[in-house]
């Protein structure tokens, strides 16, 4: 029987207020107080998962160990809490309906009319407690995507209302996050949008327990009082979430605001200990006081939307702190690199990362960047498609295999250096069918990868359909690009590197997905280290 306490986080006024960061920050403090906490996200869109969404549409698709393609907020949960999430941590409306419709086809509703209420809401509630069934958690935080008042979030809000009523307010609470805008011309913070948002939630039958106000300016006592009065809240349950220069500062702000205290009071919990946030404080302190600075080029085709590369950006922050170094990112649109004078975009750069991706657009630009890095001994890190491009570049320009390519871009290439995996060949269904999730990788002794990991057995997360074509491995290795990481069962090439180069590493997996504040990813740490070395020699 389930026994965790549940905290729901809803949002109002606008989207993008940072519900994921608030949920992660609260979870972090509760974790530091000795609770076992997890976070799950319920998204109100109809896709079964974000796996089929264009990154421009929804930002990065985050992948879990168990191979779920999920919302990028799960990346924040993992980076803050340093514990893995899973398939059960991200549920969409599409998945809920899919489950209900499948059950209907199996006759599970015994001739009844299947309706949003109670069948969809029951299915939502069943999913609220799925992680509870593992018995691993004291507290489960559930972020409800979208804004209160959106038509598509209604069933979720109704499910929260019922769930709270059924379990009682000492077991279930609701935190509502809103915006308190500052009107420059009036020189005033405005509470009205928040009042309306809480009113809307109340109309749906939910009185929030805590209001968190995203704001540019500090909330005065007067403003807090006003919000408390008109939103029907205790004065100390109006919490300020002032803009910060780093998301990693938010747990400390929430702790100052005593968010954890309020939550524990509401849920009638006694914490095993006071929060020890020393390691976190040190991280933030260090982050704000770098001793060095480097600039790396992030070459990709979705660079206009930085969220498309969220985990890479965060992994650079973690690795940077480890080196007491600020990592500036120069966003380079790979398509521009193929134009004339293209290389000026890479001028005086300390390192080049070629990003993951799909499809043909921007490929030649990525290959141009890789050639530049290889020939000029500039630290290079290729991730997934970035690694595949590095192999193609090597085949074309070192081995002299003219027109070599990945069959993803060129079906009839004479040199299919990168080819569709055997078990992908007959697949027609798109969602959830790539090589997904954690796979073992054996690292070769005395390589850059070995030096970085300091281990010969690792596990990393994947999301791809194409692979290095082993038919060419011998030729690659004798010409100077070696395989330094191999899947022990399938023999798929997972890491390639050029030993004679300052730092040239490509990975078929996505190391960025496993970088956390507590455990910066070893390859990012290695890459940043090489970039620093390079910048000192420059
Ligand atoms: N498009 C490539 C593949 O499917 C690379 C995918 C990626 O970069 N995640 O293999």
């Amino acid at each position: 029987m389930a026994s965790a306490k549940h905290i729901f986080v809803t949002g109002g006024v606008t989207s993008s207020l940072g519900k994921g960061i608030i949920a992660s920050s609260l979870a972090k403090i509760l974790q530091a107080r000795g609770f076992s906490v997890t976070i799950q996200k319920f998204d109100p869109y109809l896709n079964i998962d974000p796996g089929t969404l264009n990154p421009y549409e929804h930002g990065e698709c985050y992948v879990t160990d168990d191979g779920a393609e999920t919302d990028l907020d799960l990346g924040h949960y993992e980076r803050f809490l340093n514990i893995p999430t899973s398939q059960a941590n991200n549920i969409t409306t599409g998945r809920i309906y899919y489950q209900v419709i499948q059950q209907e086809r199996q006759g599970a509703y015994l001739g009844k009319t299947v309706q949003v209420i109670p069948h969809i809401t029951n299915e939502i509630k069943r999913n609220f407690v799925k992680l509870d069934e593992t018995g691993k958690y004291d507290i489960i935080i559930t972020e409800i995507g979208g804004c209160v008042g959106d038509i598509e979030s209604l069933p979720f809000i109704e499910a929260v209302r019922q769930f709270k009523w059924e379990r009682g307010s000492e077991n279930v609470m609701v935190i509502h996050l809103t915006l308190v805008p500052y009107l420059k011309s009036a020189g005033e913070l405005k509470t009205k949008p928040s009042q309306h948002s809480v009113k809307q939630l109340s109309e749906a039958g939910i009185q929030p327990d805590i209001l968190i106000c995203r704001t540019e300016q500090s909330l005065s006592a007067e403003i807090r009082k006003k919000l408390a009065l008109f939103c029907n809240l205790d004065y100390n349950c109006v919490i300020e979430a002032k803009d910060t220069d780093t998301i990693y500062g938010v747990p400390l702000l929430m702790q100052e605001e005593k968010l954890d205290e309020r939550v524990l009071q509401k849920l009638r919990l006694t914490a095993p200990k006071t929060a020890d946030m020393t390691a976190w404080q040190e991280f933030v302190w260090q982050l704000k006081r770098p001793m060095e600075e480097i600039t790396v080029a992030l070459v990709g085709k979705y660079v206009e939307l930085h969220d498309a590369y969220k985990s890479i950006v965060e992994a650079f922050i973690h690795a940077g702190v480890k080196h007491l170094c600020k990592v500036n990112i120069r966003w380079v649109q790979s398509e521009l690199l193929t134009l004339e004078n293209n290389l000026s975009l890479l001028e005086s750069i300390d390192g080049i990362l070629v990003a993951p991706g799909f499809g043909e657009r921007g490929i030649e630009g990525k290959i141009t960047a890789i050639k530049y890095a290889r020939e000029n001994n500039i630290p290079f890190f290729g991730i997934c498609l970035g690694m595949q491009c590095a192999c193609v570049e090597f085949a074309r320009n070192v081995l002299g295999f003219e027109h070599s390519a990945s069959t993803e871009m060129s079906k009839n290439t004479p040199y299919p250096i990168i080819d569709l995996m055997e078990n992908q060949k007959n697949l027609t269904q798109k969602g959830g069918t790539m090589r997904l999730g954690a796979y073992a990788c054996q690292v070769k002794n005395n390589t850059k990868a070995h030096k970085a990991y300091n281990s010969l057995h690792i596990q990393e997360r994947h999301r791809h359909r194409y692979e290095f074509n082993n038919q060419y491995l011998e030729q690659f290795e004798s010409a100077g690009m070696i395989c330094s990481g191999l899947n022990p069962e399938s023999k798929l090439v997972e890491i390639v590197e050029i030993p004679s180069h300052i730092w040239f590493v490509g990975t078929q997996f996505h190391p960025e997905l496993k970088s956390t504040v507590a455990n910066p990813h070893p390859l990012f740490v290695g890459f940043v280290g090489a970039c620093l070395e390079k910048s000192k020699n420059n």
Side-chain angles (χ1 to χ4, degrees), residues 335-363:
E335 278 181 304
L336 295 182
L337 283 170
T338 30
L339 301 176
E340 233 176 304
N341 251 340
N342 46 23
L343 289 174
S344 63
L345 294 173
L346 299 174
E347 216 165 83
S348 59
I349 204 77
D350 302 313
I352 296 176
L353 182 144
V354 174
F358 294 83
E360 210 185 338
R361 181 167 72 88
I363 284 293

Side-chain angles (χ1 to χ4, degrees), residues 356-359 383-385 388 408 434 463-467 508 510:
F358 294 83
I383 299 182
C384 207
L385 182 62
Q388 297 175 352
E408 181 181 2
M434 282 188 245
R463 182 171 187 253
H464 60 111
R465 296 186 197 280
Y466 293 81
E467 58 164 319
Q508 185 58 81
H510 291 262

Side-chain angles (χ1 to χ4, degrees), residues 34-80:
F35 293 105
S36 162
V37 192
T38 190
I39 317 174
Q40 54 187 358
K41 180 158 192 198
F42 282 63
D43 273 311
Y45 54 76
L46 282 170
N47 305 63
I48 298 282
D49 60 43
T52 54
L53 288 172
N54 184 319
Y56 280 134
E57 191 78 16
H58 200 70
E60 164 189 281
C61 173
Y62 188 78
V63 180
T64 59
D65 276 336
D66 66 352
E69 298 182 283
T70 73
D71 186 80
L72 58 75
D73 271 333
L74 273 78
H76 291 308
Y77 307 164
E78 289 203 13
R79 289 186 281 272
F80 276 60

Side-chain angles (χ1 to χ4, degrees), residues 290 315-327 520 524-525 528:
F316 272 130
I317 293 176
H318 308 154
V321 169
K322 186 98 185 171
H323 285 285
L324 313 183
C325 167
K326 177 163 191 243
V327 181
F524 276 86
V525 174
V528 170

